[in-house]
Amino acid sequence: MARVVGGVIVCVMIVAIDVVAGVLSIKAGLIAQNKRDSGCREAESGHHDKEVFKLGLAAAALQAVAHIVANLLGGFMCICCTEELERSTANRQLWFASLAFSWIVAGVGFAMLIAGMLENSKSSLSSSSCGKLHNHFFVIGSILCFLHALLLCIALYVSATFSLGNESS
């Protein structure tokens, strides 16, 4: 019973961290979009650039923290060879697939958030690129934060909890 309650608490914590990271990423994208739509007035541009950078950095850091917590508290098990994976239970195979997808989604999402921050800072250095700012990096990063939260980390932790519980009995 304690394992299930602990699993639920960890899942809620991971989802909350990833959702906050996604919301911060969306907010950074909206500010960058408003900057582009406003015609990049010089007086407001510096303030927006710093705010977008801070929001993007916070989103990337929170996504990294959520991924680390999911892996450390999700039953960090090792499957070293394909024979061991083929002999393992379906639950452990689901866990391994969730782990692999979790790393892919977290890596791509983190890269998108960093790319959005770098694009924003690059556009703030050159006044000619002011109208050419794209916020799709933040949007993709936020979608991947939500995907990491709702699909992969929950499946990873629940599968690890049940596979560990089944193997100990």
Side-chain angles (χ1 to χ4, degrees):
M1 183 65 170
R3 179 179 289 254
V4 173
V5 172
V8 169
I9 291 171
V10 170
C11 283
V12 168
M13 182 177 67
I14 291 168
V15 168
I17 292 171
D18 268 333
V19 166
V20 169
V23 168
L24 289 176
S25 178
I26 289 172
K27 189 172 181 180
L30 289 174
I31 292 172
Q33 181 70 29
N34 288 342
K35 174 185 165 185
R36 186 185 74 182
D37 293 344
S38 71
C40 296
R41 292 183 288 269
E42 291 298 321
E44 298 176 3
S45 183
H47 173 68
H48 290 312
D49 291 339
K50 289 177 184 176
E51 190 172 357
V52 169
F53 184 82
K54 287 178 186 177
L55 289 171
L57 183 63
L62 285 174
Q63 186 185 22
V65 166
H67 187 69
I68 290 168
V69 168
N71 281 302
L72 291 179
L73 296 179
F76 192 73
M77 299 177 291
C78 179
I79 297 179
C80 299
C81 59
T82 56
E83 291 97 23
E84 186 179 343
L85 181 61
E86 289 171 358
R87 287 184 309 207
S88 62
T89 64
N91 225 0
R92 185 175 271 200
Q93 290 175 354
L94 174 65
W95 173 86
F96 187 74
S98 297
L99 177 67
F101 287 131
S102 173
W103 275 99
I104 292 168
V105 168
V108 173
F110 188 77
M112 289 291 115
L113 294 173
I114 298 297
M117 289 175 9
L118 291 177
E119 180 182 5
N120 184 62
S121 65
K122 180 182 75 173
S123 72
S124 69
L125 295 176
S126 69
S127 59
S128 63
S129 66
C130 197
K132 299 175 182 152
L133 190 71
H134 302 288
N135 66 340
H136 62 279
F137 290 122
F138 287 120
V139 172
I140 294 170
S142 65
I143 290 170
L144 291 174
C145 284
F146 294 134
L147 180 66
H148 186 262
L150 298 176
L151 298 177
L152 302 176
C153 287
I154 292 174
L156 172 72
Y157 189 79
V158 169
S159 177
T161 302
F162 286 124
S163 70
L164 285 175
N166 291 343
E167 289 174 3
S168 65
S169 53

